[in-house]
């Protein structure tokens, strides 16, 4: 009788471990249209509004980002390859394209990812500037909200923002 109880406990423990590994490996699903919640976002002018349309397939996230404010309207097109390897990328802001190198990797729990990049942009006066940008995207457990914490370091110093998005 003790042998069967031990076997049952062992099998139960193995099943629990396998299930925990399956759930740990599940990656956040960013697909959909998302609107920035200004009341929970930080580091932005009060007039800024943002909507993102995200398409995710495996480790590829395509971003169509619309940002509006008093000063100007921006459309940002970008793609993240979330595999932990450095890749060359291009980012289009309205009609201006910038290029750089980026590394994006999933967080251990799969709830989001971190990206680090160096990008070369053209400033308003035509000169080229280099920026180092880190972003941390984290999906809420219910899948109805995510946060992007961004740190941008460039010739004018460092700027940090936190943007909270809710599913539309």
């Amino acid at each position: 009788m003790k042998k069967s109880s031990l076997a049952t406990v062992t099998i139960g423990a193995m099943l629990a471990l396998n299930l925990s590994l399956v759930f740990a490996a599940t990656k956040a699903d960013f697909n959909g249209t998302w609107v920035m919640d200004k009341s929970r976002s930080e580091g932005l002018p009060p007039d800024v509004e943002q909507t993102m349309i995200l398409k995710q397939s495996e480790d590829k996230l395509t971003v169509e980002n619309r940002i509006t404010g008093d000063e100007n309207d921006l459309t940002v097109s970008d793609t993240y390859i979330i595999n932990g390897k450095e890749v060359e990328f291009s980012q289009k802001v309205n009609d201006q394209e910038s290029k750089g190198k980026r590394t994006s990797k999933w967080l251990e729990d799969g709830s989001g990812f971190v990206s680090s990049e160096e990008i070369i942009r053209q400033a308003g006066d035509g000169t080229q500037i280099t920026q180092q940008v880190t972003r941390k995207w984290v999906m809420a457990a219910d899948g109805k909200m995510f946060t992007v914490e961004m740190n941008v370091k460039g010739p004018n110093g460092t700027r940090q923002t936190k943007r909270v998005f809710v599913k539309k």
Side-chain angles (χ1 to χ4, degrees), residues 50 52 61 63-65 67 74-80 87-102 115 117-122 129 131 133-135 137 150 152 159 163:
Q50 184 172 355
M52 283 201 270
L61 181 65
V63 179
E64 287 298 322
N65 199 351
I67 304 169
L74 302 173
T75 300
V76 181
S77 300
D78 204 346
T79 301
Y80 292 85
V87 296
E88 291 185 8
F89 76 101
S90 62
Q91 182 184 77
K92 192 171 183 181
V93 178
N94 292 342
D95 292 328
Q96 185 177 355
E97 188 173 47
S98 302
K99 295 186 181 284
K101 292 185 179 184
R102 173 187 288 151
S115 73
E117 66 191 50
E118 182 172 283
I119 188 166
I120 299 171
R121 301 187 184 282
Q122 186 173 337
I129 61 170
Q131 293 178 319
V133 182
T134 58
R135 292 180 183 87
W137 296 55
M150 184 168 72
V152 179
R159 190 176 76 242
R163 301 175 194 211

Side-chain angles (χ1 to χ4, degrees), residues 60-71:
K60 181 179 180 179
L61 181 65
T62 303
V63 179
E64 287 298 322
N65 199 351
R66 293 183 185 94
I67 304 169
T68 60
D70 279 346
E71 293 183 24

Side-chain angles (χ1 to χ4, degrees), residues 23 26-30 34 109-112 138-147 165:
F23 287 115
T26 302
K27 296 175 184 169
D29 180 2
F30 289 96
W34 301 85
D109 66 359
S111 66
V138 179
M139 180 67 67
D142 65 5
K144 296 179 182 178
M145 177 190 83
F146 72 89
T147 302
F165 293 88

